[in-house]
Amino acid sequence: MPRKCYHCKQWIEEGEAHDCWTTTEAALTRDLSEDLREAWERLRQTAADFGEQRIYASHHSIMFSRRSCYFFVRPKKGFLEVCVFLGRGLKSPKVRRADRTSKTKVANMIRIIHRDEVEPPLTDWLEEAYELSRAPAARAAAKRAKPKSKRKPVRARKVK
């Protein structure tokens, strides 16, 4: 008896292999216009030049990650939606929205429509996010090395 996939709503026959979450960069970028493809390639190369990281496709996005995701790209029909995780909200006409996602991170949403937009300040923000993605582990290690006591220190009493 066939079943309907909860995620993609596709009907799957009994015993048929199905993994709607599996995708690739090529599948996500296949239908991009020439301008968007050039912008994507420049964006990917810029990020790859920062250093060691993991670049992978996940559902509708292409993720760029060190210890955690520092930015991702959602290829759309008319633009690339870029989400950069920084410790602050950006004030720029390029930034469409900035949403706090945790105590330490703000998701800054940017639209790219042409290759020439992949230049400073965007590349500077990406590099800042790349460096920041390593920082939480350093802060956690510092906290473990220096535990705080919740009790107040005991003062010596004067004896009469």
Side-chain angles (χ1 to χ4, degrees):
M1 182 162 169
R3 67 179 176 86
K4 190 174 187 179
C5 174
Y6 174 77
H7 299 288
C8 69
K9 310 298 185 224
Q10 181 180 357
W11 285 98
I12 301 122
E13 292 298 323
E14 189 173 327
E16 180 183 345
H18 176 72
D19 186 5
C20 62
W21 288 94
T22 302
T23 189
T24 63
E25 284 182 48
L28 290 172
T29 59
R30 173 181 28 233
D31 297 328
L32 293 177
S33 67
E34 186 178 335
D35 282 345
L36 287 178
R37 180 170 304 286
E38 288 177 2
W40 159 247
E41 289 168 357
R42 187 169 183 179
L43 189 62
R44 190 186 194 292
Q45 187 58 50
T46 298
D49 289 345
F50 293 151
E52 189 176 330
Q53 61 189 294
R54 186 170 166 233
I55 302 171
Y56 60 98
S58 177
H59 205 46
H60 297 293
S61 302
I62 301 166
M63 317 296 279
F64 293 77
S65 175
R66 289 179 85 182
R67 290 183 60 89
S68 64
C69 177
Y70 70 95
F71 92 98
F72 65 83
V73 178
R74 270 193 207 114
K76 304 282 189 173
K77 188 173 184 165
F79 59 92
L80 299 175
E81 184 177 51
V82 179
C83 179
V84 182
F85 294 102
L86 292 170
R88 61 193 171 92
L90 298 171
K91 303 283 187 213
S92 169
K94 291 181 181 276
V95 178
R96 293 193 155 294
R97 196 173 80 236
D99 299 323
R100 180 153 301 279
T101 57
S102 72
K103 288 182 180 181
T104 59
K105 288 185 181 179
V106 177
N108 295 279
M109 304 302 286
I110 302 161
R111 279 191 181 183
I112 303 295
I113 58 171
H114 194 270
R115 179 181 192 270
D116 293 343
E117 292 180 271
V118 184
E119 60 183 19
L122 176 63
T123 55
D124 296 336
W125 297 332
L126 294 176
E127 190 166 12
E128 180 183 340
Y130 177 81
E131 294 302 325
L132 181 67
S133 67
R134 190 172 44 129
R139 282 196 295 267
K143 282 183 180 179
R144 284 192 300 270
K146 201 177 188 181
K148 291 183 179 179
S149 173
K150 291 186 178 182
R151 294 190 300 166
K152 292 182 180 179
V154 179
R155 294 184 189 181
R157 291 187 179 172
K158 290 184 182 178
V159 179
K160 290 185 182 181

